[in-house]
Amino acid sequence: EGSTSLFNLANNIQGVPVTLIGVSLVIASFPTLSRTHANGEHVEFRKVFYKTLKTITFWSLIASVGLFILKDLVIHILLGKTSFDATSFNMIVATFGVFTLALIPQCVKMFITRGYYAVGDTKKPATLNILATALTIGIAFSLYIQTQSTSTFTVEVLAVAFVTSSWVSGIVFYISARKNLLVTKISR
């Protein structure tokens, strides 16, 4: 169906800044996190972790705000306005706009997952990611039930479920990292 294609296009486009910011910084910091943990340099591990987390949050916030403000222009440049009818164009712009609001938690979750990998823990991030997926499905289903009688369940509503789940699970990831990865605070 056309709306599913528009949803996927919007999701794919929002994946670009996640890759440019999240993946790049995660890959760059991973060797240092792994080395400091392996050497027992826990204070240095926490310093690198927090510095990278702040950098990821800062740049993903900038990208999120910028892409949200320029969502019409971004879609117009990347996909062309003439490629879609007005309704489809507006739907992909709105869906992309909603997706941009999840850039911060997506990048943070990706980084925290690699933080766990750096200390040799693969079970905790796997569990957290399974719970995050279940949360997304639960929120989407709940919104579907709420909008079913009014026939207002659209791809934008599905994107809202994704964003809501991303923020909730992002907070859970952060709390988990503070509890399990960063046992003692760093004096700043």
Side-chain angles (χ1 to χ4, degrees):
E1 182 174 289
S3 61
T4 304
S5 296
L6 296 176
F7 177 87
N8 286 330
L9 275 172
N11 189 31
N12 290 340
I13 294 169
Q14 70 88 28
V16 172
V18 170
T19 301
L20 290 174
I21 296 165
V23 173
S24 299
L25 290 170
V26 166
I27 289 172
S29 67
F30 185 76
T32 304
L33 289 172
S34 296
R35 178 185 44 78
T36 55
H37 175 73
N39 292 340
E41 302 169 9
H42 302 295
V43 172
E44 186 63 23
F45 177 89
R46 287 187 293 276
K47 284 181 183 176
V48 171
F49 186 91
Y50 277 120
K51 182 179 180 185
T52 306
L53 183 64
K54 287 177 185 177
T55 303
I56 286 171
T57 303
F58 174 76
W59 287 111
S60 55
L61 174 64
I62 300 265
S64 184
V65 170
L67 289 170
F68 185 81
I69 290 170
L70 300 172
K71 61 187 176 286
D72 289 295
L73 183 62
V74 169
I75 298 301
H76 178 73
I77 290 170
L78 294 177
L79 301 177
K81 197 168 190 167
T82 58
S83 301
F84 305 98
D85 61 33
T87 303
S88 296
F89 183 80
N90 291 335
M91 183 182 295
I92 195 168
V93 167
T95 305
F96 174 69
V98 172
F99 273 135
T100 64
L101 303 176
L103 291 178
I104 295 170
Q106 286 185 86
C107 291
V108 166
K109 288 177 359 181
M110 185 183 315
F111 174 64
I112 291 172
T113 297
R114 295 327 180 277
Y116 276 112
Y117 293 168
V119 300
D121 186 351
T122 57
K123 291 179 183 176
K124 181 72 71 178
T127 302
L128 290 170
N129 279 304
I130 289 168
L131 292 173
T133 301
L135 180 64
T136 303
I137 293 167
I139 292 171
F141 185 72
S142 174
L143 290 173
Y144 173 74
I145 296 297
Q146 291 176 18
T147 59
Q148 187 177 17
S149 62
T150 60
S151 298
T152 57
F153 188 80
T154 61
V155 293
E156 295 94 333
V157 174
L158 194 55
V160 167
F162 175 79
V163 170
T164 304
S165 170
S166 291
W167 276 100
V168 171
S169 60
I171 291 166
V172 170
F173 269 66
Y174 180 74
I175 292 168
S176 174
R178 294 232 357 151
K179 180 180 174 189
N180 297 299
L181 286 176
L182 312 164
V183 177
T184 58
K185 291 185 179 180
I186 302 170
S187 55
R188 295 180 194 142

